[in-house]
Amino acid sequence: MEIRSTLIQEYFKDLTDEQIAQFDQLYDLYSFWNAQINVISRKDIEELYVRHILHSLGIAKFCTFKPGEKVLDVGTGGGFPGIPLAILFPETQFHLVDSIGKKIKVVTEVAAGLGLKNVKASHLRAEQVTDKYDFVVSRAVTRLIDFYPWVKGKFNKDSKNAIANGILYLKGGDLAEEIAESRLKAELYPLADYFKEEFFETKFVVYIPQ
């Protein structure tokens, strides 16, 4: 896996040595834990840096999280987009939740292996979360009409960021019908504007301000 963090460094120029080392470690950590508890398809492990890590970091091209902000990652699976974002924003607090316990086990072990102090992982459904957050992030967990009720009311009222608190949702394909169905005020930002890899041609950050 020669590409490792070099791909990330191509798009994020200001990484510290510690962050570069953490991004490098992700391949070995996910290869190890995925062999124990299958959370990523075997084929996707080889594409980990494009399809999972860089994809997760697409959110960071649109929004720079501030120190002290709190971010909830709903349906995090093996830790995406939360783990890569937590590496990039070490002073932002990330709470990663998933309803499947074995996935949270992987998140916990990967975060510990990286030495991340800003990640909390919980085996919970989104509806069971009681805290308030500045942003909710997620990666194509379900249709927006079903997703929004899970997180409605979980936002801090005051925004500290350049953009208003809200949902940052990674999703691909033609989203017009889904957004219309949800009746949410959503803005689409194509990841192809930020990343040149073919994988991103149909991928978006969907921003839903609160």
Side-chain angles (χ1 to χ4, degrees), residues 3 9 17 28 42 63 70 77 79 81 91 95 97 106 111 115 140-141 147 150 160 172-173 198 204 207:
I3 68 166
Q9 291 176 70
D17 289 345
D28 291 339
R42 297 281 186 257
C63 176
K70 290 173 65 182
E91 294 179 39
H95 186 189
V97 302
V106 173
V141 173
F147 182 81
W150 297 350
K160 310 181 190 81
E198 187 181 337
F204 299 88
Y207 170 51

Side-chain angles (χ1 to χ4, degrees), residues 37-67:
I37 303 167
N38 191 21
V39 293
I40 300 169
S41 76
R42 297 281 186 257
K43 185 178 133 198
D44 263 13
I45 277 286
E46 294 308 314
E47 300 286 346
L48 184 72
Y49 281 83
V50 172
R51 294 187 182 178
H52 297 280
I53 300 169
L54 196 57
H55 189 209
S56 297
L57 295 175
I59 287 172
K61 285 295 186 185
F62 173 68
C63 176
T64 300
F65 296 124
K66 305 293 185 196

Side-chain angles (χ1 to χ4, degrees), residues 28-39 42 102 105-106 109:
D28 291 339
L29 284 166
Y30 275 110
S31 295
F32 176 80
W33 284 105
N34 208 53
Q36 326 291 315
I37 303 167
N38 191 21
V39 293
R42 297 281 186 257
K102 67 178 185 177
K105 163 79 171 167
V106 173
E109 295 293 349

